[in-house]
Amino acid sequence: MDRRALFAMSQKLPSFAARSYAFQEYVPIRNWIGGKWVDGSTGQWLAVENPRHGMAMGKVTLSGAPDVAAAVEAAKIALPAWKNTPMRERAQVLFRLKALMERDLEELCWLVSHENGKTFAEGKGDVEKGIECVEFAIGLPMMADGGQLDVSRGVNCRTVHEPLGIVAGIVPFNFPVMVPLWMVPNALMAGNAFILKPSEVVPYGAMKLAELLKEAGLADGLFNVINGQREAVEAVVDHPDIQAVGFVGSSKVAKILYGRGAATGKRMLCLGSAKNHVIVVPDADVELTASNVIASSFGCAGQRCMASSLMVGVGDVQPIVDGMVAHVKKIRLGEDMGSIISGASRERILTYIAQAESLGAKVLVDGRGASVDGSPGHWIGPTVLDNVTIEMPAGCEEIFGPVLSIVRQPTLDAAIALQNKSLYANGAAIFTTRGAVARHAIEKLEAGMVGVNVGVPVPREPFSFGGFNASKFGHGDMTGWDGFRFWSRPKKITEKWAVYADASWMS
Ligand code: NAD
């Protein structure tokens, strides 16, 4: 047995040694249950690819219902003591997690870059935004008092936020560290035990989190990782002792799981796909708009649920389009922009471009055929399509790749109407120098997160993240205060402590 396999059998992963984009293998990834690495019960493994190189860097175990049941049993053992731990003491674990993530920042960033195909800088964005979610959760003791009031003489009402018990999260490929941390810190701070099902395509970031949480002092069983695909996911959603599930991924899966979990009585919050419209009006600042729209569309190779994938140009915005094209042409593939997650994704994206072209779209910048040093990785260069209509698949479906489609509209209201007709309503933005135009757009745009002169209007902590319509199934949002509320339940307490006999509930 070689060194990597031996490490994988032991209870500590070796450090990920890569400090550059050069291909690097890593250990096989098993499940993390009760503080131990264990193989999935299916006996099957899936190759984990480094998308930049198009080669397997490792493999991940696949799981089913027995593995989820084992994680639930481990959680049940750990839960009572954690529920009885005061919140400020729970926060100490997360203080240490933050310090450990900062200690291992470079390793985490390279790991994310290798498993996901992001550039190092984008990997850093993933990890640092994850740390921000940890910081928010650390601050919860300052916010989580439920409120109280003397409602009549001698009678007091108050609310306390109780843990739900065992809860779970199912996450997508595009942010291997941040999206788990949208959920885990808030859920742990609320006093729950957590079961995470990472994306099978990028399982490594979550496994490092498991190790760091253990090193931070979290008791075994409070954080478990079950790897796998649909079988593992369905086992999580169906398990009767899991009280709540947070999901982030495509709308198709989000909708199915939302219904399936709710039918078992679970609390479900499922975030889905996006087609974010960015409206550009002629008075917009040319340079600010061009640089921000391009950064939004092509950051993380467009594989972000907040990427502006459809620009709606109102009237004559040609100088801004020209500015955008100039910016796009400066993007160095492999250095400023990473690769596509898989060969299948690459093919899907290429089909959208070809279809749009055949339906009359004009290819202003063509990323087809681009590659980096002839590597067999999954590359597509930044692509800009003009004269797209929302009837074309590229105009109305989520492409989730480095493709910006431009649609032209005569008026601001027509542009807003396009967004409001979209199936998805995650984010939308407007670029303008006029306050009245911005205000009108804010009021009329139907999207969960709206930006003004901001290409990626992600609400930073303590604000919560979530879209409207088919971009979200469930009530409330995922991060920030809403996140804490999702992972806890409010208990309403009414007490009467009065020395006067005539004091009553209504007095
Ligand atoms: P995906 O839906 O394919 O996978 C997400 C998770 O669901 C993974 O853990 C996967 O194993 C599991 N899964 C996949 N198919 C399943 C099935 N049939 N039954 C049960 N489970 C299944 O999504 P992805 O490709 O990993 O991620 C990209 C998608 O995620 C995009 O649509 C993107 O918009 C969305 N996303 C949304 C947000 C948001 O906040 N709204 C954030 C990030 C990504």
Side-chain angles (χ1 to χ4, degrees):
M1 197 175 282
D2 71 9
R3 190 178 62 90
R4 279 190 206 88
L6 275 172
F7 268 124
M9 300 294 288
S10 77
Q11 298 313 317
K12 184 106 176 78
L13 296 178
S15 295
F16 183 58
R19 291 295 176 272
S20 74
Y21 294 119
F23 181 77
Q24 176 86 45
E25 283 184 18
Y26 199 32
V27 292
I29 284 301
R30 307 160 83 200
N31 289 334
W32 178 254
I33 299 178
K36 291 191 171 52
W37 299 118
V38 287
D39 286 348
S41 61
T42 67
Q44 294 170 339
W45 295 78
L46 188 75
V48 179
E49 209 180 17
N50 174 327
R52 171 179 280 262
H53 292 277
M55 289 197 300
M57 61 183 280
K59 60 179 184 174
V60 62
T61 194
L62 297 182
S63 314
D67 309 288
V68 173
V72 167
E73 291 314 309
K76 277 183 188 167
I77 294 167
L79 199 51
W82 186 243
K83 275 185 172 175
N84 287 330
T85 302
M87 205 180 208
R88 291 184 69 253
E89 276 181 42
R90 292 180 202 144
Q92 301 309 312
V93 174
L94 295 186
F95 271 114
R96 291 191 289 271
L97 174 68
K98 172 178 153 64
L100 293 171
M101 288 182 73
E102 286 163 351
R103 180 196 70 188
D104 293 351
L105 186 69
E106 200 182 352
E107 180 188 350
L108 282 165
C109 299
W110 280 119
L111 190 54
V112 166
S113 165
H114 278 241
E115 67 176 342
N116 174 281
K118 288 179 195 287
T119 64
F120 178 79
E122 290 166 349
K124 198 165 175 218
D126 180 34
V127 178
E128 286 182 338
K129 184 66 175 64
I131 291 174
E132 215 171 277
C133 298
V134 176
E135 287 168 356
F136 171 78
I138 287 171
L140 274 168
M142 311 302 151
M143 298 172 72
D145 56 330
Q148 64 79 34
L149 187 70
D150 279 349
V151 290
S152 60
R153 288 168 190 79
V155 179
N156 179 275
C157 282
R158 66 191 165 98
T159 303
V160 294
H161 296 284
E162 287 189 338
L164 296 176
I166 303 169
V167 300
I170 298 158
V171 292
F173 78 81
N174 62 333
F175 284 93
V177 170
M178 178 190 80
V179 174
L181 290 176
W182 279 0
M183 306 179 191
V184 175
N186 280 345
L188 288 177
M189 281 299 286
N192 302 293
F194 201 93
I195 299 173
L196 177 68
K197 208 300 283 175
S199 164
E200 65 276 25
V201 189
V202 294
Y204 285 112
M207 303 315 293
K208 278 285 167 188
L209 285 181
E211 273 207 341
L212 293 180
L213 276 164
K214 184 172 172 86
E215 195 179 341
L218 188 72
D220 292 345
L222 289 176
F223 180 66
N224 305 282
V225 183
I226 296 294
N227 286 295
Q229 300 172 298
R230 181 175 176 169
E231 191 182 339
V233 171
E234 291 181 349
V236 166
V237 172
D238 292 347
H239 199 291
D241 295 335
I242 295 177
Q243 304 300 324
V245 175
F247 171 89
V248 179
S250 58
S251 289
K252 184 173 149 242
V253 181
K255 188 173 181 184
I256 294 168
L257 296 183
Y258 176 72
R260 188 168 175 143
T264 73
K266 280 185 185 52
R267 192 181 285 195
M268 300 292 296
L269 179 58
C270 301
L271 306 191
S273 309
K275 185 81 182 171
N276 305 312
H277 293 39
V278 54
I279 298 173
V280 175
V281 297
D283 68 70
D285 182 281
V286 174
E287 177 51 26
L288 179 139
T289 306
S291 59
N292 276 271
V293 173
I294 291 317
S296 169
S297 303
F298 300 114
C300 300
Q303 299 168 113
R304 278 196 292 205
C305 68
M306 288 299 280
S308 53
S309 50
L310 192 92
M311 171 184 150
V312 191
V314 177
D316 180 10
V317 290
Q318 199 54 40
I320 296 172
V321 172
D322 293 342
M324 284 164 42
V325 167
H327 271 280
V328 175
K329 289 189 169 161
K330 284 190 222 146
I331 294 175
R332 294 162 304 168
L333 194 58
E335 287 191 46
D336 304 321
M337 196 180 105
S339 60
I340 306 304
I341 188 67
S342 65
S345 236
R346 183 174 179 276
E347 290 312 310
R348 185 178 46 75
I349 296 163
L350 291 175
T351 304
Y352 275 111
I353 300 172
Q355 249 176 357
E357 192 177 26
S358 71
L359 291 169
K362 186 173 167 197
V363 184
L364 295 184
V365 183
D366 195 345
R368 293 172 288 189
S371 78
V372 174
D373 302 331
S375 95
H378 310 305
W379 298 105
I380 300 179
T383 299
V384 182
L385 305 173
D386 201 355
N387 299 334
V388 173
T389 66
I390 60 157
E391 287 73 34
M392 296 179 191
C396 61
E397 295 174 14
E398 182 183 54
I399 299 178
F400 220 56
V403 181
L404 172 62
S405 305
I406 303 175
V407 174
R408 310 283 183 150
Q409 288 295 302
T411 64
L412 176 61
D413 282 335
I416 292 172
L418 276 198
Q419 159 63 44
N420 295 351
K421 260 191 248 164
S422 169
L423 176 62
Y424 305 113
N426 210 39
I430 180 152
F431 281 82
T432 178
T433 50
R434 284 190 291 161
V437 170
R439 190 186 161 111
H440 182 70
I442 291 168
E443 285 173 3
K444 299 292 175 197
L445 278 170
E446 288 171 25
M449 294 166 278
V450 173
V452 176
N453 297 326
V454 174
V456 185
V458 171
R460 301 271 299 264
E461 271 52 36
F463 298 96
S464 299
F465 187 103
F468 292 169
N469 302 346
S471 289
K472 187 181 76 181
F473 300 87
H475 177 72
D477 285 332
M478 187 57 89
T479 59
W481 178 241
D482 261 21
F484 176 73
R485 290 210 309 186
F486 179 72
W487 302 113
S488 61
R489 59 183 184 187
K491 179 179 273 177
K492 288 69 63 183
I493 299 159
T494 304
E495 291 178 285
K496 185 172 86 174
W497 295 106
V499 291
Y500 305 107
D502 62 347
S504 78
W505 185 69
M506 292 296 288
S507 62

